Amino acid sequence: MTLPTHPLGNSGLHITRVGFGSWAIGGGGWSFGWGPQDDAASLATMRHAIELGINWIDTAAIYGLGHSEEVVGQLLREMPSAERPLIFTKCGLVWDERDRMKPPQRNLNPDSIRRECEASLRRLGVERIDLYQFHWPDTGARVEDSWAAMVKLIEEGKVRAAGVSNFDATLLERCEAIRHVDSLQPPFSLINRAAAEKDIPWCARHDTGVICYSPMQSGLLTESFTEERVAALAEDDWRRRAAEFQPPRLSRNLALRDALLPIAQRHETSVSCIAIAWTLSWPGVSGAIVGARTPKQVDGWIGAAAIKLTRRDLDEIAAAILHSGAGTGPGKARRPRALKSKVA
């Protein structure tokens, strides 16, 4: 199966419009886990995604406290080199080995970045990381010093492209002054739309790629999610304590999800695909990171890569956002201001 691709800014990487997110395959037993996960199921799911055409996997050192990277590394060892996907991972969240449930600490000190990079290379079993990203900002370190450390890793051949996650436009500017930021990974969905206000337009103006995460709002924007399912989540599933999964937001979010059904029926696809396609409709968005724990879940959203939402679709979605009162941020896809005059 061939999926459409898109340049990741000017990094030289061309990625499929959807990529595989491996947060959940880190398993449970840590502060932001998704509950128990079988490694064999994780491997089968990633193989299936790659067979369907996905050419990149996004992971992070913190997912499962190293375990997600280990499982991805096992996948790579079992594949011919020519068939391996691009591997994106992240640093900057450091955990306490003595207490797995203790929330990780943000750390972007240069020495820590280098240690984390070396550890990720070992777990993944690769000589170079295709895209290395700062996971979260760290107010305890000057971002200029942190980004300079990233530049050194590129110069040493350990990293091919460099990006950031959860950074705002102000921090992006400070990094850009030292070395181009190849990509931004913001949370972005029909519910969490904040990145569309300033950060995604900044990336569009600076030729920085955008790979948004949680386009289905961690499962909320799927047909099968219900209020009852929240109560049935594993005790160590971080979503049990997330505000979007609790009243009064939960009912508004599910109402928005339900409003997508007529659009999905018109396209003969799933609500999940429509939710993901909406994020991909924003100018400046290169791709969306979508997680799965079983091959069947991949089948439920893989079609989003090829969906082209019409103006009617986008207007109906904007009206549904307004009516439901769900989430925050712009509700209607639009051209970045800097590009309007070029299109007119």
Side-chain angles (χ1 to χ4, degrees):
M1 183 173 180
T2 301
L3 298 180
T5 61
H6 193 281
L8 184 64
N10 61 9
S11 68
L13 299 174
H14 284 73
I15 63 172
T16 47
R17 296 306 309 274
V18 291
F20 187 89
S22 65
W23 183 357
I25 72 170
W30 64 289
S31 57
F32 287 93
W34 293 63
Q37 173 67 13
D38 179 69
D39 289 349
S42 297
L43 291 165
T45 303
M46 288 189 287
R47 290 191 199 100
H48 186 60
I50 293 167
E51 289 168 357
L52 292 180
I54 283 177
N55 75 348
W56 56 288
I57 292 175
D58 181 82
T59 185
I62 193 62
Y63 298 161
L65 312 189
H67 188 63
S68 176
E69 287 186 332
E70 291 171 348
V71 177
V72 172
Q74 181 177 344
L75 173 77
L76 297 179
R77 289 192 298 273
E78 295 173 357
M79 296 182 67
S81 297
E83 298 177 11
R84 291 179 179 179
L86 298 168
I87 301 299
F88 304 166
T89 192
K90 298 179 281 293
C91 68
L93 292 179
V94 179
W95 61 89
D96 188 338
E97 297 284 0
R98 299 166 297 179
D99 185 356
R100 291 179 57 89
M101 297 305 296
K102 185 177 180 180
Q105 299 297 307
R106 299 183 187 183
N107 189 340
L108 288 178
N109 288 314
D111 290 347
S112 184
I113 292 168
R114 178 168 291 277
R115 284 194 301 271
E116 286 197 67
C117 181
E118 297 289 356
S120 289
L121 288 168
R122 288 194 299 272
R123 285 190 289 262
L124 292 166
V126 298
E127 295 182 356
R128 183 176 68 168
I129 296 165
D130 293 301
L131 176 67
Y132 202 39
Q133 305 154 94
F134 291 163
H135 208 147
W136 283 90
D138 171 20
T139 57
R142 289 180 70 251
V143 72
E144 290 82 0
D145 295 336
S146 304
W147 198 239
M150 179 72 85
V151 173
K152 289 182 180 178
L153 293 174
I154 295 172
E155 293 171 347
E156 294 170 8
K158 292 179 169 58
V159 170
R160 179 176 177 182
V164 295
S165 179
N166 299 299
F167 275 41
D168 61 19
T170 299
L171 286 173
L172 288 166
E173 287 279 5
R174 291 171 64 182
C175 293
E176 186 75 9
I178 295 172
R179 191 262 185 197
H180 179 58
V181 182
D182 290 314
S183 69
L184 170 68
Q185 183 180 144
F188 190 49
S189 72
L190 281 161
I191 295 168
N192 187 349
R193 307 180 298 274
E197 190 66 47
K198 295 180 180 179
D199 304 331
I200 294 175
W202 185 97
C203 291
R205 292 193 301 271
H206 291 82
D207 207 7
T208 290
V210 175
I211 49 173
C212 53
Y213 73 86
S214 295
M216 298 187 299
Q217 197 64 38
S218 303
L220 273 175
L221 298 173
T222 61
E223 287 92 340
S224 61
F225 210 91
T226 62
E227 293 184 11
E228 291 75 21
R229 188 172 170 187
V230 176
L233 293 173
E235 288 298 322
D236 58 349
D237 191 320
W238 69 274
R239 294 175 294 176
R240 292 178 66 91
R241 60 183 189 273
E244 299 295 352
F245 288 78
Q246 305 298 327
R249 296 186 188 181
L250 178 61
S251 60
R252 294 197 294 260
N253 294 336
L254 294 179
L256 175 56
R257 184 273 314 274
D258 292 343
L260 302 180
L261 185 57
I263 303 169
Q265 291 173 338
R266 279 205 301 272
H267 285 268
E268 299 182 342
T269 190
S270 66
V271 165
S272 304
C273 284
I274 297 301
I276 298 165
W278 182 87
T279 68
L280 296 174
S281 72
W282 281 82
V285 172
S286 312
I289 303 166
V290 195
R293 305 175 76 169
T294 66
K296 184 178 179 180
Q297 289 180 347
V298 175
D299 292 335
W301 51 253
I302 191 72
I307 292 176
K308 300 294 184 183
L309 296 178
T310 66
R311 178 50 55 187
R312 174 190 175 188
D313 296 331
L314 293 172
D315 287 345
E316 288 185 17
I317 291 171
I321 290 171
L322 182 64
H323 181 73
S324 68
T328 56
K332 194 168 185 178
R334 59 180 185 267
R335 295 194 300 271
R337 293 186 183 91
L339 299 184
K340 285 184 177 180
S341 61
K342 298 179 182 179
V343 177

